[in-house]
Short mmCIF file of all heavy atoms in Angstrom, two decimals:
data_model
loop_
_atom_site.label_atom_id
_atom_site.label_comp_id
_atom_site.label_asym_id
_atom_site.label_seq_id
_atom_site.Cartn_x
_atom_site.Cartn_y
_atom_site.Cartn_z
N THR A 1386 -101.03 125.91 87.85
CA THR A 1386 -100.14 126.94 88.42
C THR A 1386 -100.75 127.46 89.78
O THR A 1386 -99.99 127.66 90.70
CB THR A 1386 -100.00 128.17 87.38
OG1 THR A 1386 -99.45 127.57 86.28
CG2 THR A 1386 -98.97 129.11 87.98
N THR A 1387 -102.03 127.72 89.74
CA THR A 1387 -102.62 128.25 91.09
C THR A 1387 -102.60 127.35 92.15
O THR A 1387 -102.29 127.58 93.28
CB THR A 1387 -104.16 128.61 90.70
OG1 THR A 1387 -104.18 129.53 89.72
CG2 THR A 1387 -104.85 129.11 91.95
N THR A 1388 -102.80 125.98 91.86
CA THR A 1388 -102.75 124.97 93.05
C THR A 1388 -101.28 124.78 93.43
O THR A 1388 -101.07 124.62 94.67
CB THR A 1388 -103.28 123.71 92.65
OG1 THR A 1388 -102.66 123.17 91.45
CG2 THR A 1388 -104.84 123.76 92.29
N SER A 1389 -100.36 124.88 92.54
CA SER A 1389 -98.88 124.69 93.00
C SER A 1389 -98.46 125.93 93.82
O SER A 1389 -97.69 125.77 94.75
CB SER A 1389 -98.02 124.52 91.74
OG SER A 1389 -98.23 123.42 91.08
N ILE A 1390 -98.76 127.14 93.29
CA ILE A 1390 -98.40 128.33 94.05
C ILE A 1390 -98.98 128.35 95.44
O ILE A 1390 -98.35 128.68 96.38
CB ILE A 1390 -98.63 129.61 93.24
CG1 ILE A 1390 -97.71 129.69 91.99
CG2 ILE A 1390 -98.44 130.77 94.11
CD1 ILE A 1390 -98.11 130.74 91.06
N ASN A 1391 -100.26 127.95 95.60
CA ASN A 1391 -100.97 128.01 96.82
C ASN A 1391 -101.03 126.69 97.61
O ASN A 1391 -101.88 126.43 98.33
CB ASN A 1391 -102.37 128.54 96.53
CG ASN A 1391 -102.32 129.92 96.11
OD1 ASN A 1391 -102.07 130.86 96.73
ND2 ASN A 1391 -102.64 130.04 94.71
N ARG A 1392 -100.12 125.79 97.30
CA ARG A 1392 -100.15 124.42 97.89
C ARG A 1392 -100.15 124.48 99.39
O ARG A 1392 -100.75 123.64 100.00
CB ARG A 1392 -99.04 123.56 97.29
CG ARG A 1392 -97.68 123.84 97.70
CD ARG A 1392 -96.68 122.84 97.06
NE ARG A 1392 -95.31 123.25 97.20
CZ ARG A 1392 -94.59 123.98 96.44
NH1 ARG A 1392 -95.10 124.52 95.32
NH2 ARG A 1392 -93.34 124.26 96.70
N GLU A 1393 -99.38 125.32 100.03
CA GLU A 1393 -99.32 125.32 101.53
C GLU A 1393 -100.72 125.64 102.10
O GLU A 1393 -101.04 124.97 103.02
CB GLU A 1393 -98.30 126.34 102.05
CG GLU A 1393 -96.86 125.92 101.75
CD GLU A 1393 -95.85 127.08 102.08
OE1 GLU A 1393 -96.24 128.02 102.67
OE2 GLU A 1393 -94.65 126.85 101.85
N GLN A 1394 -101.42 126.56 101.53
CA GLN A 1394 -102.68 126.89 102.01
C GLN A 1394 -103.70 125.80 101.70
O GLN A 1394 -104.43 125.41 102.59
CB GLN A 1394 -103.29 128.07 101.27
CG GLN A 1394 -104.67 128.53 101.70
CD GLN A 1394 -105.29 129.72 100.84
OE1 GLN A 1394 -104.76 130.06 99.85
NE2 GLN A 1394 -106.27 130.26 101.41
N ILE A 1395 -103.63 125.14 100.62
CA ILE A 1395 -104.50 124.00 100.35
C ILE A 1395 -104.22 122.78 101.26
O ILE A 1395 -105.15 122.22 101.74
CB ILE A 1395 -104.33 123.49 98.78
CG1 ILE A 1395 -104.71 124.64 97.84
CG2 ILE A 1395 -105.08 122.20 98.58
CD1 ILE A 1395 -104.36 124.42 96.39
N ILE A 1396 -102.91 122.45 101.49
CA ILE A 1396 -102.60 121.46 102.34
C ILE A 1396 -103.15 121.70 103.80
O ILE A 1396 -103.62 120.87 104.53
CB ILE A 1396 -101.06 121.23 102.36
CG1 ILE A 1396 -100.58 120.73 101.07
CG2 ILE A 1396 -100.54 120.35 103.54
CD1 ILE A 1396 -99.18 120.76 100.70
N VAL A 1397 -102.84 122.87 104.32
CA VAL A 1397 -103.29 123.30 105.60
C VAL A 1397 -104.89 123.20 105.75
O VAL A 1397 -105.52 122.64 106.81
CB VAL A 1397 -102.91 124.68 106.02
CG1 VAL A 1397 -103.54 125.22 107.29
CG2 VAL A 1397 -101.39 124.72 106.25
N LEU A 1398 -105.58 123.72 104.80
CA LEU A 1398 -107.04 123.63 104.82
C LEU A 1398 -107.65 122.24 104.75
O LEU A 1398 -108.58 121.87 105.46
CB LEU A 1398 -107.62 124.60 103.80
CG LEU A 1398 -107.48 126.05 103.88
CD1 LEU A 1398 -107.86 126.86 102.77
CD2 LEU A 1398 -108.28 126.53 105.10
N ALA A 1399 -107.05 121.50 103.86
CA ALA A 1399 -107.42 120.00 103.86
C ALA A 1399 -107.21 119.31 105.05
O ALA A 1399 -108.04 118.53 105.56
CB ALA A 1399 -106.57 119.35 102.65
N ALA A 1400 -106.13 119.56 105.77
CA ALA A 1400 -105.88 118.93 107.02
C ALA A 1400 -106.80 119.41 108.13
O ALA A 1400 -107.32 118.68 108.97
CB ALA A 1400 -104.35 119.12 107.54
N ARG A 1401 -107.10 120.72 108.20
CA ARG A 1401 -107.92 121.30 109.07
C ARG A 1401 -109.36 120.75 108.98
O ARG A 1401 -110.01 120.47 110.06
CB ARG A 1401 -108.00 122.92 108.88
CG ARG A 1401 -108.86 123.62 109.93
CD ARG A 1401 -108.96 125.00 109.86
NE ARG A 1401 -107.70 125.63 109.75
CZ ARG A 1401 -107.36 126.78 109.08
NH1 ARG A 1401 -108.18 127.35 108.35
NH2 ARG A 1401 -106.08 127.28 109.14
N HIS A 1402 -109.86 120.51 107.67
CA HIS A 1402 -111.16 119.92 107.61
C HIS A 1402 -111.18 118.49 107.42
O HIS A 1402 -112.21 117.87 107.20
CB HIS A 1402 -111.69 120.50 106.25
CG HIS A 1402 -111.98 122.01 106.33
ND1 HIS A 1402 -113.11 122.48 106.95
CD2 HIS A 1402 -111.39 123.11 105.74
CE1 HIS A 1402 -113.22 123.88 106.96
NE2 HIS A 1402 -112.18 124.15 106.17
N ARG A 1403 -110.03 117.81 107.74
CA ARG A 1403 -109.76 116.42 107.79
C ARG A 1403 -110.26 115.71 106.40
O ARG A 1403 -110.99 114.71 106.51
CB ARG A 1403 -110.46 115.83 109.03
CG ARG A 1403 -109.90 116.40 110.28
CD ARG A 1403 -110.61 115.85 111.60
NE ARG A 1403 -110.55 114.43 111.64
CZ ARG A 1403 -109.47 113.71 112.08
NH1 ARG A 1403 -108.31 114.38 112.41
NH2 ARG A 1403 -109.41 112.37 112.18
N MET A 1404 -109.94 116.35 105.37
CA MET A 1404 -110.36 115.81 104.03
C MET A 1404 -109.24 115.11 103.50
O MET A 1404 -108.10 115.65 103.17
CB MET A 1404 -110.77 117.06 103.16
CG MET A 1404 -112.08 117.66 103.49
SD MET A 1404 -112.53 118.87 102.25
CE MET A 1404 -112.75 117.84 100.91
N PRO A 1405 -109.47 113.80 103.04
CA PRO A 1405 -108.35 113.12 102.35
C PRO A 1405 -108.18 113.68 100.99
O PRO A 1405 -109.17 113.95 100.24
CB PRO A 1405 -108.93 111.61 102.32
CG PRO A 1405 -110.34 111.79 102.62
CD PRO A 1405 -110.55 112.97 103.35
N THR A 1406 -107.01 113.96 100.71
CA THR A 1406 -106.69 114.70 99.43
C THR A 1406 -105.62 114.10 98.68
O THR A 1406 -104.50 113.65 99.19
CB THR A 1406 -106.30 116.11 99.79
OG1 THR A 1406 -107.39 116.65 100.55
CG2 THR A 1406 -106.14 116.98 98.55
N VAL A 1407 -105.70 113.96 97.42
CA VAL A 1407 -104.72 113.28 96.49
C VAL A 1407 -104.16 114.53 95.72
O VAL A 1407 -104.99 115.31 95.09
CB VAL A 1407 -105.26 112.26 95.47
CG1 VAL A 1407 -104.25 111.82 94.62
CG2 VAL A 1407 -105.91 111.10 96.27
N TYR A 1408 -102.77 114.61 95.69
CA TYR A 1408 -102.26 115.80 95.09
C TYR A 1408 -101.52 115.32 93.76
O TYR A 1408 -101.14 114.15 93.62
CB TYR A 1408 -101.26 116.31 96.03
CG TYR A 1408 -101.77 116.95 97.29
CD1 TYR A 1408 -101.89 116.14 98.49
CD2 TYR A 1408 -102.52 118.20 97.20
CE1 TYR A 1408 -102.45 116.61 99.54
CE2 TYR A 1408 -103.17 118.67 98.42
CZ TYR A 1408 -103.10 117.89 99.58
OH TYR A 1408 -103.66 118.48 100.66
N PRO A 1409 -101.31 116.20 92.87
CA PRO A 1409 -100.68 115.91 91.51
C PRO A 1409 -99.18 115.56 91.57
O PRO A 1409 -98.68 114.84 90.62
CB PRO A 1409 -101.04 116.99 90.61
CG PRO A 1409 -101.08 118.21 91.54
CD PRO A 1409 -101.54 117.65 92.87
N PHE A 1410 -98.44 116.18 92.53
CA PHE A 1410 -96.93 116.00 92.49
C PHE A 1410 -96.46 115.73 93.89
O PHE A 1410 -97.04 115.94 94.94
CB PHE A 1410 -96.39 117.23 92.08
CG PHE A 1410 -96.77 117.73 90.65
CD1 PHE A 1410 -97.48 118.90 90.47
CD2 PHE A 1410 -96.42 116.96 89.47
CE1 PHE A 1410 -97.84 119.22 89.18
CE2 PHE A 1410 -96.83 117.35 88.23
CZ PHE A 1410 -97.61 118.52 88.10
#
């Protein structure tokens, strides 16, 4: 629930830090 609600923040931060990220949905 926490990751889904805050997905925009997670996506932006992963892109900013240039971290390849696999998401659940």
Side-chain angles (χ1 to χ4, degrees):
T1386 305
T1387 303
T1388 58
S1389 292
I1390 291 171
N1391 297 290
R1392 69 181 173 270
E1393 291 176 7
Q1394 180 186 15
I1395 295 169
I1396 292 166
V1397 167
L1398 290 169
R1401 182 181 305 149
H1402 290 287
R1403 302 181 56 82
M1404 289 186 62
T1406 305
V1407 178
Y1408 299 97
F1410 301 114

